[in-house]
Amino acid sequence: NVILLIEFVGILVHGRGFQRNLSELHLLVFVFAVTASIVIVVLGLLVIFCIGNPVKVSSKRFFMCNRKRTANIGMILYVFRNHYTMHVTAAMFYRTVSIIGHGLLLVVPGIIKHYEYSLIPYILAENPTMQYKRAAQLSTKMSEGQKMAMLKMDLSFLFWEIAGIFSLGLVSVFYTMPYREFAKAGLYEVLRQNALADGVCDSTELPGFETDL
């Protein structure tokens, strides 16, 4: 209302020229707001893909190693320290695009693809040099017949995720997240052992995590 009043007074005092200048100002503000929003979104995506995904893969290695003995917290930066950043970032980008692509078709195919490719971060954590296509093939093969079990595992943490919201994230940080990650690391260990035993892959592709212990 105040803005409309200022416009009305300006038109009375300065005529239509004031209204034209004000319209141009509105347009500039709109263009600036849209541009700023696009920049923020792009920067956010860059942070997710170039920092978040390498950290995610590194964290999988950290939890896998912690299953046998205490691992150095610095392993969270494993991908960066060993110069696998570009390869892992590209592989995780392709994974995300594939999952979103299937999700845009229908919800159920997107959920299936999510669990089908859910082991890719673990595979890359174990072998960061593996090509994305092969990692996707392994994840697909290893998750055969296991997708419902994976879904049930995620649903089992739903109550604790809700509790985390009401505790301002404290429950999630100190209980849910570590417990969930250890549980998923244990599942991956079983599935990788089955894959090795069935000849789906060999120890050159999945060399294990013992070198970091």
Side-chain angles (χ1 to χ4, degrees):
N1 293 334
V2 175
I3 295 177
L4 292 176
L5 180 61
I6 293 174
E7 290 183 10
F8 179 72
V9 173
I11 292 173
L12 290 178
V13 176
H14 301 285
R16 292 295 176 181
F18 178 82
Q19 185 179 27
R20 184 170 58 255
N21 292 335
L22 194 60
S23 298
E24 292 176 354
L25 178 61
H26 286 168
L27 178 61
L28 287 175
V29 171
F30 174 76
V31 171
F32 175 79
V34 171
T35 303
S37 299
I38 293 174
V39 170
I40 291 173
V41 170
V42 171
L43 289 177
L45 290 174
L46 287 175
V47 169
I48 292 172
F49 286 112
C50 299
I51 298 178
N53 279 335
V55 169
K56 180 178 182 177
V57 171
S58 298
S59 70
K60 303 304 182 186
R61 191 175 186 92
F62 171 78
F63 282 103
M64 288 300 298
C65 291
N66 255 302
R67 294 183 67 251
K68 296 188 176 181
R69 67 178 69 171
T70 303
N72 191 323
I73 190 64
M75 195 175 292
I76 296 296
L77 301 176
Y78 174 83
V79 170
F80 296 109
R81 288 181 173 180
N82 292 274
H83 310 294
Y84 299 127
T85 307
M86 294 299 295
H87 180 74
V88 168
T89 297
M92 292 295 287
F93 174 78
Y94 295 144
R95 171 183 178 268
T96 301
V97 169
S98 179
I99 293 173
I100 292 176
H102 283 80
L104 290 176
L105 297 176
L106 286 171
V107 175
V108 174
I111 295 174
I112 293 175
K113 185 60 66 173
H114 167 75
Y115 286 104
E116 189 174 298
Y117 283 177
S118 63
L119 301 178
I120 290 178
Y122 290 93
I123 294 170
L124 292 174
E126 187 168 0
N127 184 355
T129 62
M130 183 180 291
Q131 294 300 310
Y132 168 75
K133 184 176 181 180
R134 179 55 178 161
Q137 290 174 344
L138 279 180
S139 182
T140 299
K141 190 67 177 178
M142 292 166 67
S143 62
E144 283 184 359
Q146 303 295 330
K147 298 180 187 67
M148 185 56 68
M150 293 176 176
L151 175 59
K152 289 179 178 179
M153 177 181 286
D154 284 339
L155 292 177
S156 69
F157 291 101
L158 182 60
F159 169 79
W160 294 107
E161 294 292 354
I162 295 174
I165 295 174
F166 287 101
S167 66
L168 301 179
L170 292 178
V171 172
S172 297
V173 171
F174 293 105
Y175 179 77
T176 310
M177 189 276 287
Y179 184 29
R180 182 183 63 240
E181 291 300 325
F182 275 119
K184 290 190 173 185
L187 175 62
Y188 175 72
E189 179 61 28
V190 171
L191 297 181
R192 72 177 292 278
Q193 290 294 345
N194 291 342
L196 290 169
D198 294 340
V200 175
C201 57
D202 55 38
S203 58
T204 59
E205 288 188 305
L206 298 181
F209 304 90
E210 288 74 12
T211 56
D212 293 309
L213 298 180

